[in-house]
Amino acid sequence: MLTALKAVLAGWFLKRTVGGLLGFLVALALPLTFLLKGLGLPLLAVLAVIGAPIALLLAAVGLPALLVAGLVGVVLASVVAVLVIGVLLLKIALPIILAVLVVRWLLRRRGNGGSSGDVKAGPPPEAPPADATVQP
């Protein structure tokens, strides 16, 4: 009886601690994995589109397989570096651009959107009639 009680309590304890933690991590990580998958698969497609023709061309020329793999690796590493820098710049620039656009939108809603140098002129002045003469 005591062994069964220990087994039930141990199962309950593991379900409440490890299972709860594991469930929390899965619930937290699942949207992140879908986001990374959505971003990563197009990047893999870009790498495949760039790498496959280069590998086929170098292999068709008759270079050794190790040299082909090395050259394709160098080209793909440089493409990956450019993509990483581009995504990093996008992560930095996007919040700044969005903040500027939101501030401009809020200022425009208040009516303060124009700069101080804007002159709001009324209708142009009327010109005197052409046949009117000026008398002293």
Side-chain angles (χ1 to χ4, degrees):
M1 180 71 182
L2 188 59
T3 307
L5 183 62
K6 283 183 183 179
V8 169
L9 286 176
W12 178 79
F13 181 73
L14 288 176
K15 188 186 295 185
R16 296 291 271 167
T17 57
V18 176
L21 178 65
L22 187 61
F24 175 71
L25 289 177
V26 167
L28 186 68
L30 201 59
L32 184 63
T33 56
F34 285 129
L35 177 70
L36 291 176
K37 181 182 175 186
L39 183 67
L41 287 179
L43 292 180
L44 283 176
V46 166
L47 292 177
V49 165
I50 292 172
I54 294 173
L56 290 175
L57 177 73
L58 292 175
V61 171
L63 293 175
L66 190 59
L67 188 61
V68 169
L71 289 175
V72 169
V74 168
V75 169
L76 289 182
S78 62
V79 170
V80 167
V82 169
L83 287 174
V84 166
I85 291 171
V87 169
L88 179 67
L89 289 176
L90 187 65
K91 284 181 180 181
I92 292 171
L94 193 61
I96 294 171
I97 292 170
L98 286 175
V100 167
L101 289 176
V102 166
V103 167
R104 288 178 65 193
W105 178 69
L106 287 173
L107 289 177
R108 189 173 300 138
R109 283 190 60 179
R110 286 187 179 176
N112 299 338
S115 64
S116 60
D118 290 345
V119 176
K120 297 193 178 184
E126 293 183 19
D131 59 337
T133 58
V134 178
Q135 297 186 2

CSV table of all heavy atoms in Angstrom, one decimal, residues 26-36:
chain,number,residue,atom,x,y,z
A,26,VAL,N,6.9,24.2,-24.1
A,26,VAL,CA,6.4,23.9,-25.4
A,26,VAL,C,5.4,25.0,-25.9
A,26,VAL,O,5.5,25.4,-27.0
A,26,VAL,CB,5.7,22.5,-25.4
A,26,VAL,CG1,4.9,22.3,-26.7
A,26,VAL,CG2,6.7,21.4,-25.3
A,27,ALA,N,4.6,25.5,-24.9
A,27,ALA,CA,3.6,26.5,-25.3
A,27,ALA,C,4.4,27.8,-25.6
A,27,ALA,O,3.9,28.6,-26.4
A,27,ALA,CB,2.7,26.7,-24.1
A,28,LEU,N,5.5,28.0,-25.0
A,28,LEU,CA,6.3,29.2,-25.2
A,28,LEU,C,7.1,29.1,-26.5
A,28,LEU,O,7.2,30.1,-27.3
A,28,LEU,CB,7.2,29.5,-24.1
A,28,LEU,CG,8.0,30.8,-24.1
A,28,LEU,CD1,7.1,32.0,-23.9
A,28,LEU,CD2,9.0,30.8,-23.0
A,29,ALA,N,7.6,27.9,-26.8
A,29,ALA,CA,8.5,27.8,-27.9
A,29,ALA,C,7.8,27.5,-29.2
A,29,ALA,O,8.4,27.7,-30.3
A,29,ALA,CB,9.5,26.6,-27.6
A,30,LEU,N,6.6,27.0,-29.2
A,30,LEU,CA,5.9,26.6,-30.4
A,30,LEU,C,5.7,27.8,-31.4
A,30,LEU,O,6.0,27.6,-32.5
A,30,LEU,CB,4.6,25.9,-30.0
A,30,LEU,CG,4.0,25.0,-31.1
A,30,LEU,CD1,4.9,23.9,-31.5
A,30,LEU,CD2,2.7,24.4,-30.6
A,31,PRO,N,5.2,28.9,-30.9
A,31,PRO,CA,5.1,30.0,-31.9
A,31,PRO,C,6.4,30.5,-32.4
A,31,PRO,O,6.5,30.9,-33.5
A,31,PRO,CB,4.4,31.1,-31.0
A,31,PRO,CG,3.7,30.4,-29.9
A,31,PRO,CD,4.6,29.2,-29.6
A,32,LEU,N,7.4,30.4,-31.5
A,32,LEU,CA,8.8,30.8,-32.0
A,32,LEU,C,9.3,29.9,-33.0
A,32,LEU,O,9.9,30.4,-34.0
A,32,LEU,CB,9.7,30.9,-30.7
A,32,LEU,CG,11.1,31.4,-31.0
A,32,LEU,CD1,11.1,32.8,-31.5
A,32,LEU,CD2,11.9,31.2,-29.8
A,33,THR,N,9.0,28.6,-32.9
A,33,THR,CA,9.5,27.7,-33.9
A,33,THR,C,8.8,27.9,-35.2
A,33,THR,O,9.4,27.8,-36.3
A,33,THR,CB,9.3,26.2,-33.5
A,33,THR,OG1,7.9,26.0,-33.2
A,33,THR,CG2,10.2,25.9,-32.3
A,34,PHE,N,7.5,28.2,-35.2
A,34,PHE,CA,6.8,28.5,-36.5
A,34,PHE,C,7.3,29.8,-37.1
A,34,PHE,O,7.5,29.9,-38.3
A,34,PHE,CB,5.3,28.6,-36.2
A,34,PHE,CG,4.6,27.3,-36.0
A,34,PHE,CD1,3.8,27.1,-34.9
A,34,PHE,CD2,4.8,26.2,-36.9
A,34,PHE,CE1,3.2,25.9,-34.7
A,34,PHE,CE2,4.2,25.0,-36.7
A,34,PHE,CZ,3.4,24.8,-35.6
A,35,LEU,N,7.7,30.8,-36.3
A,35,LEU,CA,8.3,32.0,-36.8
A,35,LEU,C,9.6,31.7,-37.5
A,35,LEU,O,9.9,32.2,-38.6
A,35,LEU,CB,8.4,33.1,-35.7
A,35,LEU,CG,9.0,34.4,-36.1
A,35,LEU,CD1,8.1,35.1,-37.0
A,35,LEU,CD2,9.4,35.2,-34.9
A,36,LEU,N,10.5,31.0,-36.8
A,36,LEU,CA,11.8,30.7,-37.3
A,36,LEU,C,11.7,29.8,-38.6
A,36,LEU,O,12.4,29.9,-39.5
A,36,LEU,CB,12.6,30.0,-36.3
A,36,LEU,CG,13.1,30.9,-35.1
A,36,LEU,CD1,13.8,30.1,-34.1
A,36,LEU,CD2,13.9,32.0,-35.6
